[in-house]
Amino acid sequence: MPDTKKFIENLSGAGKCIGVLTSGGDAQGMNAAVRAVVRMGIYVGAKVYFIHEGYQGMVDGGDNIKEASWESVSSMLQVGGTVIGSARCKDFRTHEGRLHAALNLVQRGITNLCVIGGDGSLTGANLFREEWSGLLDELVQSGEISEEASQIHSALHIVGMVGSIDNDFCGTDMTIGTDSALHRIIEVVDAIMTTAQSHQRTFVLEVMGRHCGYLALVSALACGADWVLIPEMPPKDGWEEQMCYKLSENRADKKRLNIIIVAEGAIDQSNKPITTELIKDLVVRCLGFDTRVTILGHVQRGGTPSAFDRILASRMGVEAVLALLEASPGTPACVVSLCGNQAVRVPLMECVQMTQEVQKAMDEKRFEEAVRLRGRSFENNLNTYKLLSHRKIDSELPHKFQIQTQANVHPISAASLIFFFSCFLSQIKEIKWGDVGGWTGQGGSLLGTKRTLPAKHIDKIAEQMRIHNINALLVIGGFEAYLGLMELQAARSKHAELCVPMVMVPATVSNNIPGSDLSIGADTALNAITDTCDRIKQSASGTKRRVFIIETMGGYCGYLATVGGLAAGADAAYIYEEPFDIRELQSNVEHLTEKMKTSIQRGLVLRYDLDILHRNCSENYTTDFIYQLYNEEGKGVFDCRKNVLGHMQQGGAPSPFDRNFGTKIAAKAMQWISKKLKEFYREGRVFANTEDSACLLGMRRRALVFQPVVQLKDETDFVHRIPKEQWWLRLRPLMKILAKYKTSYDVSDSGQLEHIVRLRAKDISAI
């Protein structure tokens, strides 16, 4: 077969001009997207222009449209909001305004637009594209451009990236800014919980989401809220009594606080608003609880972008440039979106139309259809919340997470579900519903954990399982848990007590478990790395010309170093999976030397560079060796410092992503256990001895998949405790390109335009 691989070296942007603008409401991560568009565009030889103040700047022209340089985006990555400005433009809604905008673009040769905004901004961009040829004809007739210019600039190409903290755009799992907004919300909720517990108070929190309840729903899952109200699923008649009953029931279980989260667009079945004051008055009147209201407002839009949003925006920005390079006059405008952990392109207007259909369904009180139209991510979040809040999922609503009522599942962190395998099961205790209240926001493992493998204690384990009548095992952990599950399954031939359904949920900051692209804890560690790098860069702002060598965790897995480097704007990341030698180190030093000289000439205030070092990347090239090499070779140009982040990457409260991912994957694992208990119940006992009764539940590209652990052996490098193939290695060229290194980048997976209906049908089993 012929080689169908496609590389970035074969794509050229020479002679092309790209304009990038941010429009509508601002969102954290927009700057990371702008940075990626600028640097990728320049990397392929195109000219890139900032269009300041959104469409207003395009209409007004002049200094609002400026050519961008590589260095002009060097301090953007960690800044919230949008540095190039955003404005809601009435002029662009008029034909005359769009005519002015077309003239300003043609005068600069811009025929490629990257628009970062919401559905309104993207709809406007598509209208502009459809009118483009007519607008040029008018400009020719008025004598403002020549016929030749009209021919040269005859086609306008549009690629969109969705920047919206509400996550209200159909066709993508996450929009730029949503994860950061969840960080702000959870930070507030965690802080409120301490004062609420002190005074036994009820807090009613209003979060953004005038038309979409995603922020309210996911934050409720992430903090274990008692009640949540969202516009897509209004509560049924009599909800007031049900809510008050649940609040009083929780207080009776000695819970000292209640949290109610309300989306600002929450409504009842009659489309009447449900406000925070209404809920407060209801709780005070019916229960007499001390109740306070907190409205988060624009706090949710502020602050630095999370690691997730920086990575998402960087990947989307690079993909947007690739889409523009590959566009032809007949190519429809597309949106670069996220499906699972895959970047895909979806027709812009399909996404816009489905987004508008959601609002239409809500206006017509077709709420179940509105939930379905929101997409798989929203639908599964809602069903998981209903399940874990002990509310019955309506039989007519499409869902994926039904579970038997005897399975006591609670919205909890990765180390808290029902039962945990540790050492030889010498400490076993039944866990009830109320025992795990508040565990969601706790870091570490409240049940405790050990690295001891079961093989040496297999007889005692079997005995304890018999004594306590254990009929299933849920194992939560890292590579030791993976090895332990294999040992338990291998021992089934000698111990019938081990013939029970077993499932593992991957939880390790290293993200090195075969069979899963993501592990619980990795996102929290990435945020710890990113936050530390931001502080280190800030500390260097007054010093200038300084290089930091930062050592991360990860064993032999370079995930944290690579993805942390992409999120922090690193210049290099040294890892075990990608061998390097002294020549590459010397090349990196020379690269930094030239970079520092250029920066001084440009008079930049900040001049810092980060080298993320993975601690087991080489036996000889240690952190100290690389530090000394950089220090010696950089004399007279830059000085060097080193930092070892250590166990701070494992500490702290879990990120919203990890709380939500841990909750949903654990709920799915319990659904599997419930199903297997029925399947393997024979003659008064459970007996499971098939390969598929001992599985690892992992994220594979776009879906959560149960995989027999014995089938994962061939995918495992047991010596180095890593998978033989790791998806994130494909992100390494992005980091190098954005740091101005020439590199090879396989873009074979790019260029596939997926239709939104097919995309959802294919991913029916995903999270």
Side-chain angles (χ1 to χ4, degrees):
M1 289 181 62
D3 188 0
T4 58
K5 284 194 173 183
K6 182 172 57 175
F7 293 92
I8 189 68
E9 301 95 301
N10 301 323
L11 295 174
S12 173
K16 295 188 176 183
C17 296
I18 300 171
V20 57
L21 66 127
T22 54
S23 177
D26 64 301
Q28 308 96 320
M30 280 184 165
N31 291 321
V34 171
R35 171 181 177 268
V37 169
V38 169
R39 292 197 166 179
M40 188 63 178
I42 293 173
Y43 183 87
V44 298
K47 285 186 177 181
V48 185
Y49 288 84
F50 292 134
I51 301 177
H52 291 272
E53 312 306 334
Y55 287 117
Q56 190 66 56
M58 192 189 299
V59 173
D60 294 342
D63 289 340
N64 287 307
I65 305 177
K66 291 183 178 179
E67 186 174 352
S69 66
W70 191 275
E71 288 76 15
S72 63
V73 294
S74 63
S75 302
M76 276 188 171
L77 189 61
Q78 68 272 21
V79 179
T82 167
V83 170
I84 61 175
S86 178
R88 302 187 188 278
C89 179
K90 293 182 179 179
D91 292 338
F92 193 75
R93 297 178 183 176
T94 67
H95 182 79
E96 185 180 356
R98 293 192 291 276
L99 192 65
H100 281 300
L103 175 62
N104 289 325
L105 295 186
V106 171
Q107 288 175 340
R108 293 163 179 80
I110 300 172
T111 55
N112 299 278
L113 278 182
C114 183
V115 181
I116 308 168
D119 62 326
S121 302
L122 299 179
T123 302
N126 190 66
L127 175 62
F128 191 41
R129 173 182 167 277
E130 291 174 346
E131 291 182 348
W132 182 255
S133 59
L135 294 171
L136 295 194
D137 290 342
E138 289 186 49
L139 292 172
V140 170
Q141 291 171 9
S142 65
E144 293 180 87
I145 65 171
S146 66
E147 184 67 42
E148 181 184 6
S150 175
Q151 293 296 322
I152 293 172
H153 306 104
S154 60
L156 178 67
H157 305 299
I158 302 286
V159 174
M161 286 183 280
V162 190
S164 168
I165 68 167
D166 293 334
N167 202 32
D168 55 355
F169 193 81
C170 295
T172 184
D173 286 352
M174 287 285 274
T175 57
I176 296 169
T178 301
D179 187 70
S180 300
L182 286 170
H183 273 258
R184 303 294 96 80
I185 295 169
I186 294 304
E187 287 164 6
V188 171
V189 172
D190 285 351
I192 279 176
M193 279 186 167
T194 57
T195 182
Q197 283 181 327
S198 300
H199 299 279
Q200 298 191 61
R201 283 178 176 151
T202 295
F203 271 84
V204 185
L205 279 75
E206 181 185 283
V207 301
M208 283 187 168
R210 190 175 300 117
H211 304 292
C212 178
Y214 185 89
L215 289 179
L217 178 59
V218 174
S219 57
L221 268 175
C223 72
D226 297 275
W227 205 266
V228 65
L229 293 156
I230 59 174
E232 292 87 348
M233 189 54 64
K236 294 181 179 179
D237 293 341
W239 66 271
E240 298 93 340
E241 291 80 7
Q242 293 177 10
M243 184 185 74
C244 289
Y245 176 77
K246 183 175 181 182
L247 296 180
S248 62
E249 192 178 46
N250 287 343
R251 286 293 178 93
D253 287 340
K254 299 182 179 179
K255 185 177 179 181
R256 293 180 59 85
L257 76 156
N258 301 112
I259 299 291
I260 302 168
I261 296 182
V262 188
E264 61 178 324
I267 53 175
D268 63 16
Q269 291 283 333
S270 302
N271 277 349
K272 293 181 180 178
I274 299 177
T275 66
T276 52
E277 287 299 327
L278 184 152
I279 295 171
K280 176 188 174 182
D281 293 343
L282 176 67
V283 173
V284 171
R285 184 177 70 254
C286 297
L287 300 175
F289 291 171
D290 185 1
T291 305
R292 305 297 168 93
V293 170
T294 300
I295 299 175
L296 271 64
H298 282 75
V299 166
Q300 297 158 88
R301 289 192 188 275
T304 59
S306 66
F308 182 97
D309 273 330
R310 299 185 198 193
I311 296 161
L312 172 65
S314 297
R315 292 178 67 186
M316 298 302 99
V318 168
E319 184 70 21
V321 173
L322 293 177
L324 289 172
L325 292 179
E326 295 169 353
S328 63
T331 303
C334 73
V335 173
V336 179
S337 68
L338 181 75
C339 186
N341 68 350
Q342 302 297 301
V344 297
R345 301 176 194 172
V346 188
L348 187 154
M349 289 314 295
E350 284 187 17
C351 298
V352 170
Q353 287 165 7
M354 185 165 285
T355 302
Q356 292 172 347
E357 283 179 26
V358 174
Q359 187 58 50
K360 183 180 179 182
M362 290 165 59
D363 292 341
E364 296 174 358
K365 300 183 181 181
R366 293 181 285 114
F367 297 111
E368 292 167 8
E369 185 177 351
V371 170
R372 181 181 58 80
L373 290 170
R374 276 281 181 231
R376 64 192 183 100
S377 178
F378 187 94
E379 188 178 350
N380 290 327
N381 279 312
L382 179 59
N383 289 330
T384 304
Y385 178 80
K386 287 182 176 182
L387 168 69
L388 302 184
S389 62
H390 229 181
R391 292 165 66 187
K392 182 178 179 294
I393 298 178
D394 298 331
S395 57
E396 71 273 15
L397 185 66
H399 58 276
K400 302 180 182 70
F401 294 136
Q402 279 193 329
I403 196 167
Q404 298 304 302
T405 55
Q406 68 264 25
N408 289 338
V409 190
H410 196 280
I412 55 172
S413 67
S416 55
L417 229 169
I418 307 305
F419 181 80
F420 186 78
F421 161 68
S422 175
C423 194
F424 48 88
L425 306 181
S426 58
Q427 298 179 18
I428 297 177
K429 173 187 174 183
E430 182 182 359
I431 300 179
K432 297 182 179 179
W433 184 276
D435 294 338
V436 292
W439 283 26
T440 320
Q442 300 294 315
S445 169
L446 295 179
L447 288 178
T449 182
K450 291 184 179 179
R451 295 186 182 274
T452 309
L453 292 174
K456 294 181 180 179
H457 312 284
I458 209 72
D459 293 338
K460 292 183 179 179
I461 291 173
E463 181 185 0
Q464 292 294 327
M465 291 187 68
R466 179 182 57 79
I467 292 171
H468 293 278
N469 193 28
I470 301 298
N471 292 312
L473 279 178
L474 173 61
V475 184
I476 306 168
F479 207 84
E480 275 78 14
Y482 173 65
L483 295 175
L485 193 60
M486 286 184 170
E487 292 180 358
L488 288 173
Q489 186 186 38
R492 281 175 166 179
S493 59
K494 296 182 179 179
H495 298 279
E497 294 86 351
L498 300 178
C499 294
V500 298
M502 303 177 186
V503 62
M504 175 189 164
V505 170
T508 168
V509 300
S510 301
N511 197 33
N512 64 331
I513 306 301
S516 188
D517 293 345
L518 295 172
S519 296
I520 300 166
D523 183 73
T524 303
L526 282 175
N527 278 285
I529 293 168
T530 304
D531 292 346
T532 304
C533 288
D534 286 350
R535 296 187 182 199
I536 287 172
K537 289 189 289 187
Q538 187 179 34
S539 75
S541 61
T543 308
K544 299 181 184 180
R545 298 188 300 165
R546 178 168 287 175
V547 175
F548 286 91
I549 309 292
I550 298 176
E551 182 183 289
T552 69
M553 298 180 81
Y556 282 95
C557 180
Y559 175 82
L560 289 180
T562 297
V563 183
L566 182 61
D571 283 281
Y574 303 117
I575 62 172
Y576 164 78
E577 292 92 340
E578 194 173 280
F580 60 94
D581 56 23
I582 193 68
R583 290 183 293 275
E584 183 173 344
L585 287 171
Q586 184 63 37
S587 173
N588 289 345
V589 172
E590 291 170 359
H591 176 86
L592 286 169
T593 300
E594 291 304 312
K595 193 173 180 182
M596 295 291 181
K597 291 176 181 176
T598 302
S599 301
I600 294 171
Q601 290 174 358
R602 291 184 179 275
L604 297 178
V605 176
L606 278 177
R607 193 62 247 159
Y608 48 78
D609 292 283
L610 292 173
D611 282 315
I612 301 287
L613 176 67
H614 171 233
R615 64 179 176 182
N616 284 338
C617 61
S618 170
E619 184 178 344
N620 298 311
Y621 299 130
T622 63
T623 306
D624 287 336
F625 175 85
I626 294 176
Y627 162 71
Q628 290 168 8
L629 175 69
Y630 271 65
N631 216 25
E632 184 64 30
E633 296 297 322
K635 276 186 177 178
V637 182
F638 60 80
D639 64 356
C640 197
R641 297 288 187 274
K642 66 177 178 179
N643 295 80
V644 179
L645 301 186
H647 282 78
M648 67 174 294
Q649 296 159 86
Q650 286 184 302
S655 68
F657 181 93
D658 275 331
R659 298 185 196 197
N660 185 253
F661 182 49
T663 299
K664 288 197 289 186
I665 196 171
K668 191 157 183 114
M670 289 305 298
Q671 176 200 24
W672 180 89
I673 284 176
S674 179
K675 178 183 175 183
K676 292 297 179 182
L677 286 173
K678 283 183 176 181
E679 182 182 333
F680 293 110
Y681 186 79
R682 297 287 185 277
E683 299 178 359
R685 60 164 294 190
V686 174
F687 186 85
N689 198 23
T690 58
E691 282 190 2
D692 67 351
S693 64
C695 288
L696 180 142
L697 175 56
M699 164 76 87
R700 289 281 195 158
R701 292 177 68 88
R702 302 180 182 183
L704 282 174
V705 182
F706 290 94
Q707 304 144 100
V709 288
V710 294
Q711 296 179 13
L712 295 174
K713 287 183 179 180
D714 291 339
E715 300 181 23
T716 307
D717 177 351
F718 288 98
V719 175
H720 298 103
R721 298 159 60 88
I722 56 175
K724 290 180 180 178
E725 292 187 11
Q726 301 183 86
W727 70 273
W728 53 264
L729 287 170
R730 298 195 299 272
L731 299 181
R732 285 185 62 75
L734 267 66
M735 187 193 69
K736 293 181 180 180
I737 288 170
L738 297 178
K740 212 175 184 178
Y741 284 94
K742 288 294 179 184
T743 187
S744 180
Y745 179 32
D746 184 356
V747 294
S748 304
D749 289 340
S750 299
Q752 304 299 320
L753 193 67
E754 299 199 15
H755 293 281
I756 190 167
V757 175
R758 184 174 68 84
L759 185 149
R760 289 199 68 246
K762 179 166 57 178
D763 300 317
I764 197 72
S765 62
I767 293 182

